[in-house]
């Protein structure tokens, strides 16, 4: 489950990556159907800070990209001296790395997540910096060997290139075009074609090249998501607030009740996330001789 305009959580059903192409949870059928009121009340009461999606266990499933971003990220972190994780959320994904470089920093723009990431990552020596998503990176030129990001709000490639050392790399998993738009369009209706085409991996690769980076790897996949009850949809939209701006269960009660009935009759509400892996390298400094 993912965000389109900003942070994508199409990864909503869990934090730990799996190398398999299957969801990390299996739906557990209830012995008796639960009421609309019960499901929605539970979802509305659930906390939404951080990027921990364990609440969805048994409520929703999502396929994982075949490349296994967290595993690959961990391997790359083990081979550098200085790294930066952008838009770290609550630090959940960075914390999966078995080892971290001597200098590791992370940025986050949402205050509740800054606090959560700091608590999680401080014991591992990570400096978490509160930084608005659209602001220049608060670091000096050529500071890092590696910049990582999982589902960033946006990739500011000129800033990423600036803070990378020559020979350094940007390694990230991005949300792709029309991710989880089955959910978006169920509530908001058909979206303009320019919105559906946003976050195109080829265009992002062009932006990286324009900033002076070389594309090393670019892969894209579209992955199945299943919402097994209306409460999972409510919690998803409360957590990933940019999907349906201004969403509340009260404002969208008719659509939610209709969806509750539909799931009861037809089974899970199916959507598809869009993900791409991108690795871009800053060229080595050229000799002046």
């Amino acid at each position: 489950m993912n965000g389109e305009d900003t942070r994508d959580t199409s990864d909503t059903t869990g934090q730990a990556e799996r190398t398999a192409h299957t969801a990390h949870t299996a739906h557990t059928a209830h012995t008796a159907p639960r009421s609309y009121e019960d499901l929605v009340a539970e979802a509305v009461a659930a906390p939404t800070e951080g990027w921990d999606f364990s609440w969805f266990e048994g409520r929703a499933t999502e396929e994982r990209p075949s490349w296994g971003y967290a595993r690959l990220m961990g391997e790359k972190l083990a081979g550098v001296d200085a790294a930066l994780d952008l838009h770290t959320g609550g630090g959940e994904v960075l914390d999966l790395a078995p080892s971290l470089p001597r200098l590791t920093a992370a940025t986050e723009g949402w205050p509740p997540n800054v606090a959560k990431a700091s608590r999680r990552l401080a014991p591992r020596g990570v400096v978490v910096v509160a930084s608005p998503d659209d602001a220049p990176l608060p670091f000096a030129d050529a500071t890092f060997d590696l910049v990582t990001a999982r589902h960033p709000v946006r990739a500011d490639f000129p800033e990423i290139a600036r803070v990378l050392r020559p020979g350094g790399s940007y390694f990230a998993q991005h949300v792709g075009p029309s991710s989880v738009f089955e959910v978006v369009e169920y509530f908001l209706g058909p979206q303009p074609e320019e919105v559906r085409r946003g976050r195109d991996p080829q265009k992002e690769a062009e932006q990286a090249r324009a900033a002076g980076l070389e594309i090393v790897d670019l892969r894209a996949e579209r992955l199945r998501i299943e919402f097994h009850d209306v409460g999972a949809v409510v919690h998803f939209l409360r957590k990933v607030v940019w999907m349906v701006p201004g969403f509340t269960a009260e404002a969208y009660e008719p659509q939610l009740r209709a969806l509750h009935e539909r799931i009861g009759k037809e089974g899970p509400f199916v959507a598809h996330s869009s993900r791409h892996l991108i690795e871009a390298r800053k060229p080595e400094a050229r000799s002046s001789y």
Side-chain angles (χ1 to χ4, degrees):
M1 303 141 203
N2 287 293
E4 308 323 312
D5 300 334
T6 49
R7 188 149 351 219
D8 169 30
T9 49
S10 272
D11 216 16
T12 355
T13 51
Q15 287 301 327
E17 292 288 340
R18 299 290 188 261
T19 55
H21 217 89
T22 57
H24 81 292
T25 65
H27 174 55
T28 303
H30 297 294
T31 55
R34 298 174 65 189
S35 70
Y36 170 85
E37 289 76 13
D38 182 26
L39 291 167
V40 170
E42 181 182 18
V44 169
T48 58
E49 70 274 6
W51 296 116
D52 176 6
F53 298 102
S54 58
W55 187 91
F56 289 93
E57 192 80 25
R59 313 289 294 271
T61 60
E62 179 183 8
E63 288 183 317
R64 292 286 183 252
S66 60
W67 48 75
Y69 172 75
R71 174 181 56 82
L72 294 176
M73 178 196 69
E75 293 172 359
K76 293 183 180 298
L77 286 167
V80 300
D81 292 326
L84 170 64
D85 190 50
L86 300 176
H87 306 179
T88 198
E92 296 88 351
V93 179
L94 183 60
D95 196 34
L96 293 173
S99 63
L100 295 173
R102 173 186 55 82
L103 170 62
T104 305
T107 66
E108 173 57 32
W110 192 43
N113 277 351
V114 172
K116 186 171 185 178
S118 297
R119 290 193 299 270
R120 179 185 294 271
L121 297 174
R124 301 193 65 183
V126 179
V127 177
V128 179
V129 180
S131 178
D133 295 328
D134 57 352
L137 294 175
F139 304 102
D141 296 359
T143 299
F144 301 103
D145 303 301
L146 177 67
V147 175
T148 60
R150 179 178 170 278
H151 306 170
V153 174
R154 68 185 184 96
D156 187 338
F157 287 108
E159 278 294 285
I160 290 166
R162 181 183 66 78
V163 301
L164 279 173
R165 295 171 179 168
S169 295
Y170 175 65
F171 183 75
Q173 180 175 293
H174 289 191
V175 179
S178 301
S179 190
V180 203
F181 264 38
E182 294 92 340
V183 173
V184 171
E185 295 188 332
Y186 176 83
F187 290 96
L188 300 181
Q191 297 298 290
E193 192 58 29
E194 60 269 23
V195 174
R196 297 184 61 84
R197 291 198 305 264
R199 305 174 76 107
D200 179 82
Q202 295 299 333
K203 290 184 178 179
E204 291 189 350
E206 292 173 6
Q207 294 167 3
R209 292 188 186 100
L213 302 175
E214 301 169 345
I215 300 301
V216 176
D217 195 2
L218 185 64
R219 291 180 257 173
E221 292 181 358
R222 196 156 179 85
L223 306 157
R224 182 182 177 94
I225 297 171
E226 293 185 357
F227 294 94
H228 292 280
D229 64 61
V230 72
V233 176
V234 170
H235 186 59
F236 172 65
L237 293 176
R238 291 183 63 241
K239 196 171 183 73
V240 192
V241 296
W242 47 87
M243 299 292 288
V244 178
F247 173 84
T248 65
E250 293 80 7
Y252 286 92
E253 182 176 357
Q255 295 95 320
L256 289 169
R257 285 190 178 275
L259 184 57
H260 175 65
E261 295 297 324
R262 171 177 160 181
I263 291 173
K265 293 176 181 177
E266 302 177 10
F269 180 32
V270 176
H272 296 84
S273 64
S274 180
R275 299 283 182 275
H276 53 274
L277 184 76
I278 183 168
E279 183 173 6
R281 179 178 174 273
K282 185 174 181 176
E284 296 281 1
R286 294 182 180 180
S287 172
S288 59
Y289 296 100

